[in-house]
Amino acid sequence: MPKIVGTAARALALTSLAGEAWVVIRGGSAARAQFDRLVSEAGFEPRIRFETESYDVAQALVATGYGVALVSRMARRRDLHLSFRPVVHRRARRTVHALRSDTGVTDLTLTFERLLRSAAADLA
């Protein structure tokens, strides 16, 4: 069964995926920097089979059995036949910070802040 590493069932050590073909996000993004850092810390060089700018494309390729991917919970698609597994690695998390000034706050700013807090609560 194809798998995407994310969250849900029994956890996998990142090192257990060292021999897999990987579908990864292209370089230049925070997600790719995190991936590169994690595999480096895990002590292996990933065999990258495909690079994309889209988590949707990555998950579609994984669904076909093309490889595995590291996907955050926020980007997971629920309509594909995939197996999501949490990654066991000491720093397999990313922190997102949002700052705003108390002056000139718009309704859009407040809506964005509320949505961001809601998404964070869903992931907690």
Side-chain angles (χ1 to χ4, degrees):
M1 171 186 264
K3 58 188 170 240
I4 284 189
V5 180
T7 65
R10 188 184 48 197
L12 290 174
L14 185 59
T15 55
S16 72
L17 299 169
E20 298 286 343
W22 285 87
V23 177
V24 299
I25 297 299
R26 285 195 179 151
S29 69
R32 178 57 181 270
Q34 182 185 35
F35 173 81
D36 291 343
R37 178 181 49 81
L38 291 174
V39 297
S40 176
E41 288 174 359
F44 69 92
E45 182 73 28
R47 184 169 46 100
I48 296 174
R49 192 167 187 191
F50 192 84
E51 293 184 56
T52 179
E53 294 178 2
S54 167
Y55 280 121
D56 288 337
V57 170
Q59 291 173 86
L61 287 169
V62 170
T64 70
Y66 196 72
V68 297
L70 186 65
V71 176
S72 76
R73 286 183 276 180
M74 288 180 66
R76 286 190 340 200
R77 293 188 52 191
R78 303 195 189 286
D79 61 331
L80 297 175
H81 300 288
L82 298 166
S83 174
F84 292 91
R85 305 283 292 276
V87 171
V88 178
H89 186 75
R90 62 187 174 90
R91 291 179 29 180
R93 294 180 180 257
R94 184 172 65 168
T95 302
V96 177
H97 299 274
L99 301 172
R100 68 172 172 85
S101 81
D102 288 332
T103 60
V105 175
T106 65
D107 288 341
L108 184 58
T109 302
L110 295 174
T111 298
F112 176 74
E113 183 179 1
R114 189 170 50 255
L115 290 171
L116 190 58
R117 289 181 188 278
S118 176
D122 287 347
L123 296 174

